[in-house]
Amino acid sequence: MNVLEKDHQIIDFHTHLGDVCSGCYPRKAVPSRLGFVTPNLLEKTSHNKILTQVIGSPFFPKSPLISSAVTSASFGNSSNLIAEIKSNGVAKAVISPIEPFVSTSEVASECQRYPDQLVGLMSVNFAKFTVQQIQEAIRTQSKLRHCPGIKFHPNLQGVHPHSEKAQALFDTAEKEKMFVLVHGGITPIVYGDERRFSVSETLIAALKPFPSLKVIVAHVGSYFRTDDDFVEKVLQMPNIMVDTSGVSPDVILHALEILGPERVIYGSDWPYGTMRYSLKFVREAVTKYCSGNKNDCETVLARILSKNAEALLS
C-alpha cells in the first residue's frame, strides 16, 4: 500500500455543475444527460502547445468551442460527478458555482445530497450585488462554516480584478479567512476584452494588496497562455497556489520545479475536463519531477492530490 492509499484520499479541487459558460452565448436550456464526459482533443494531445495556441487565438471560430462547452455541460450533474469520482479513485470533489449562471444555492443543494463526497464553494452575483451585498454574502457564508472558499471567474463574470467589487471580495475573504479559487489565463469562448481579465499581469497586481489571503489560481495561471511565466511571477507571493486543471504535464512540471509540491493542487475542471486525463498528467509530471531530485514520488503525489486540499478545507 502506497503513501497516498494509506494516509490520504484524492480530492479534486476544481469541478463544476451545470452550464457555467452560458453567459458566453445566447442562453438556452441544456438538457441533462447521464453518462461520462468524453476526453476533449486537447486532453488527447496532452494539451499540445501549438494546438492550444491556435484554439486560444481570438481569430479561431467560437462555434466549435461553444458546441463543446454545451455538450460538456449537459453531463454536468451530480449523478455523473459521483460516477466520475468513483471510477477514478477520487474521494471528494470541490464544486465551484459561477454566478449568475450556476448559483451558490444550486451547488449547496447538490452537496447536501452527497455530503461525504462533495464540497461546495460560493460565488457572488456581481451584476446584481452592491459592494456591501458582496461583503455581507461572504460573511454569511463564512458563518455557515461548511463553505470554505469562493470561486471568482473574472472572464466569465465580466468583472475586472481591480474593480471595486472584486477588491471587496478579496478584502472580505481575507478577513473571514476564506480562500479564493480564481481563474487564471484567457478564456477563448469569451469574445470581448473580458477574455483577458485573468492574465497574470492583471491578476497578480490585483492580489498584491492581500498578502494573507489564500488564493488558488486555476490552470497554473496560464489557461491557453502556454508561453506565460506566471509561476515565476508569483514565486515571492507565498499565499498563492496553483491548480493543475486544463494544462499539460509540462506546465505542471514547471510549476513543481518553481513553486514546489506545497503550492500545487490537483484539479480537473470536470465536466470541461476529465479526471482520468487530469490525474494522468499530474502523475506524469510528478514522475519527471522526482526523477530529477531525491523526492519520493508517492510523498509528492500525496501532497498534490490530497494534503494541500485537506489543509485548505480544514
Side-chain angles (χ1 to χ4, degrees):
M1 181 175 289
N2 61 37
V3 172
L4 187 61
E5 292 171 336
K6 181 180 178 181
D7 298 321
H8 304 278
Q9 295 180 311
I10 298 173
I11 299 173
D12 188 332
F13 210 76
H14 190 154
T15 69
H16 297 282
L17 293 179
D19 189 4
V20 298
C21 299
S22 57
C24 305
Y25 45 83
R27 190 172 181 87
K28 58 182 179 180
V30 175
S32 183
R33 297 188 284 179
L34 291 178
F36 287 91
V37 178
T38 301
N40 58 53
L41 179 60
L42 286 176
E43 286 189 317
K44 291 178 179 179
T45 60
S46 295
H47 293 278
N48 177 271
K49 186 173 182 177
I50 295 176
L51 181 61
T52 301
Q53 289 173 334
V54 169
I55 294 176
S57 165
F59 306 106
F60 188 82
K62 298 296 183 291
S63 55
L65 301 178
I66 292 173
S67 176
S68 176
V70 170
T71 298
S72 296
S74 69
F75 290 102
N77 56 64
S78 58
S79 296
N80 288 342
L81 178 53
I82 293 298
E84 178 85 357
I85 66 176
K86 287 182 178 178
S87 67
N88 288 280
V90 175
K92 189 172 294 187
V94 178
I95 307 173
S96 292
I98 299 181
E99 301 266 10
F101 316 118
V102 176
S103 70
T104 300
S105 59
E106 289 176 87
V107 167
S109 177
E110 293 305 304
C111 291
Q112 288 173 1
R113 293 179 60 195
Y114 304 98
D116 295 330
Q117 294 127 317
L118 304 181
V119 176
L121 304 185
M122 69 167 289
S123 176
V124 296
N125 191 335
F126 291 97
K128 289 187 176 181
F129 284 10
T130 65
V131 167
Q132 291 72 28
Q133 287 173 320
I134 289 171
Q135 294 169 328
E136 185 56 36
I138 294 171
R139 293 187 188 112
T140 298
Q141 290 293 335
S142 175
K143 291 175 184 177
L144 294 177
R145 296 186 181 277
H146 62 259
C147 184
I150 306 165
K151 171 67 176 186
F152 176 35
H153 201 307
N155 303 12
L156 292 179
Q157 293 178 299
V159 178
H160 199 287
H162 286 275
S163 68
E164 183 181 9
K165 289 183 177 181
Q167 292 287 292
L169 182 150
F170 296 144
D171 179 63
T172 310
E174 183 179 48
K175 290 175 179 175
E176 296 297 321
K177 301 187 185 307
M178 297 177 72
F179 64 78
V180 176
L181 173 60
V182 59
H183 178 79
I186 67 169
T187 302
I189 203 171
V190 175
Y191 286 82
D193 292 341
E194 296 91 342
R195 78 195 301 268
R196 294 177 55 86
F197 276 2
S198 292
V199 297
S200 59
E201 53 265 32
T202 300
L203 186 59
I204 294 171
L207 293 171
K208 281 187 176 178
F210 310 99
S212 63
L213 172 65
K214 293 181 179 179
V215 180
I216 304 91
V217 180
H219 318 298
V220 192
S222 56
Y223 199 55
F224 285 90
R225 295 194 82 201
T226 54
D227 57 346
D228 200 0
D229 56 351
F230 176 84
V231 293
E232 285 86 355
K233 293 175 182 176
V234 298
L235 179 59
Q236 303 305 320
M237 300 174 70
N239 60 312
I240 295 181
M241 300 175 66
V242 296
D243 89 25
T244 63
S245 63
V247 295
S248 71
D250 287 343
V251 171
I252 299 170
L253 173 61
H254 184 59
L256 287 170
E257 291 173 337
I258 302 299
L259 301 178
E262 296 79 10
R263 294 175 62 181
V264 178
I265 189 167
Y266 164 64
S268 69
D269 203 18
W270 185 94
Y272 304 97
T274 66
M275 293 184 186
R276 177 163 67 95
Y277 273 84
S278 58
L279 285 166
K280 175 176 178 286
F281 295 157
V282 168
R283 290 183 171 115
E284 287 181 10
V286 168
T287 298
K288 291 181 180 179
Y289 173 72
C290 293
S291 68
N293 54 50
K294 295 181 180 180
N295 283 303
D296 175 70
C297 277
E298 292 300 332
T299 301
V300 173
L301 277 173
R303 172 69 66 179
I304 298 167
L305 299 180
S306 298
K307 292 180 70 176
N308 290 337
E310 290 168 358
L312 288 165
L313 297 175
S314 63

